[in-house]
Amino acid sequence: MSTTKEHYTFQLSDKVSRKKVSFKNRYGIILSGDLYLPKNAGNEKLPALAISGPFGAVKEQSSGLYANEMAQRGFAVIAFDPSYTGQSGGEPRNLASPEINTEDFSAAVDFLGIQKNIDRNKIGIIGICGFGGFALNAAAVDKRVKVVAASTMYDMTRVMSKGYNDVVTPEQRTQTLEQLGEQRWKDAESGSFASGPLLNAEKLKGDEPQFVKEYHDYYRTERGFHERSLNSTGAWNATNPISFMNMPILTYIKEISPRPVLIIAGENAHSRYFSEDAFKAAAEPKELIIVPDAVHTDLYDKLDKIPFGKLDNFFKTHLN
């Protein structure tokens, strides 16, 4: 598999141009992105989208594929690496934050809104996987975002604090927090940040849960591998969960209204309940699409599964 610096997991459309860009978020972190533009745009001001995710991925993977597809449909699109990951800045590396990763979307909106060929009154965002949750949070707080879509979403604050299907007991939560506190002592003593467990093993034993096999099939094979992706090659810092434990990001999801929300999930995705619960919590106008026979990772890159026609119609209708 390719490990060159310019390796992308998909082919750039001949109808689209792509160029490297950078922009700064409110915390002074320089973010790296790829700006995708339709080649036939002319001089008209374009509607625009900002895209990021999945959680632990880079812009050369799923978010870039989404950007490539949406640019073919007439949008200016930026796919970006979040803070502390990929080619974006921020120290230490391999860190995520519900607040800063929400801010990353607003920083991308800043960037799009000052481009001469973009209509700043027609900007939407798409979040994939864990960044679906961050996108919904960003749309709630940033009224410049006119429309939001979340694809195969996770609520990372919920899964880290409560476990899958909310099975973590108060006693287990207390134990986890105590362990994280002990890890902080170790990091403070060593002067560096220990890594957590490898996100996706290079080889599977065969007895893993089905969704783990599905992640492996994307991140550890030619299909989706990228050397800068934590999900392909690395791990988060061991203390990464701390800020996710008591900052529920979907608290204000109703405040996205009256701006529209589109949530997309796979019928057979282990993560489907995140999408359904977010949809229930959101106010109108809202729409939930369940993709038949699709698992979580099918909506990363399967062009026959991702409803790009629906995304196109949704954004064109509401960014008019």
Side-chain angles (χ1 to χ4, degrees), residues 2-8 18 20 60 87 226 228:
S2 173
T3 57
T4 62
K5 290 183 179 179
E6 294 305 317
H7 171 59
Y8 287 80
R18 175 174 62 205
K20 296 283 185 186
E60 292 83 4
Q87 292 180 315
H226 197 282
R228 286 192 293 269

Side-chain angles (χ1 to χ4, degrees), residues 18 56 72 86 106 147 160 163 180 197 209 219 221 223 233 240 268:
R18 175 174 62 205
Q72 292 177 57
S106 288
V147 59
M160 285 202 204
L180 289 167
Y219 287 111
T221 70
R223 173 184 166 196
T233 63
N240 193 55
N268 301 323

Side-chain angles (χ1 to χ4, degrees), residues 160-266:
M160 285 202 204
S161 63
K162 298 182 178 181
Y164 281 109
N165 299 301
D166 305 335
V167 298
V168 171
T169 66
E171 294 76 18
Q172 289 170 324
R173 174 181 167 85
T174 296
Q175 183 180 29
T176 296
L177 292 173
E178 289 173 346
Q179 290 170 347
L180 289 167
E182 288 299 315
Q183 185 62 53
R184 288 194 69 135
W185 286 128
K186 294 174 183 176
D187 289 351
E189 289 167 348
S190 70
S192 61
F193 293 91
S195 291
L198 190 67
L199 291 169
N200 285 289
E202 190 169 357
K203 292 184 179 180
L204 294 177
K205 298 175 183 177
D207 58 352
E208 293 85 357
Q210 180 59 31
F211 74 91
V212 173
K213 295 177 181 178
E214 291 161 4
Y215 281 134
H216 185 277
D217 185 55
Y218 180 76
Y219 287 111
R220 278 293 191 173
T221 70
E222 187 74 33
R223 173 184 166 196
F225 178 89
H226 197 282
E227 63 180 3
R228 286 192 293 269
S229 169
L230 282 180
N231 290 333
S232 289
T233 63
W236 296 104
N237 289 346
T239 56
N240 193 55
I242 289 174
S243 62
F244 289 81
M245 297 298 285
N246 63 350
M247 294 186 187
I249 55 174
L250 298 186
T251 300
Y252 296 99
I253 190 172
K254 282 184 168 58
E255 293 186 8
I256 299 174
S257 178
R259 294 161 296 152
V261 176
L262 173 65
I263 299 176
I264 304 167

Side-chain angles (χ1 to χ4, degrees), residues 124-127 132 135-136 139 145-150 256 260-263 314-315:
I125 58 177
I126 300 175
L136 293 171
V145 176
K146 302 305 181 186
V147 59
V148 58
I256 299 174
V261 176
L262 173 65
I263 299 176
F314 176 70
F315 282 107

Side-chain angles (χ1 to χ4, degrees), residues 130-148:
F131 277 78
F134 299 142
L136 293 171
N137 194 33
V141 77
D142 191 338
K143 303 302 183 184
R144 302 173 304 167
V145 176
K146 302 305 181 186
V147 59
V148 58

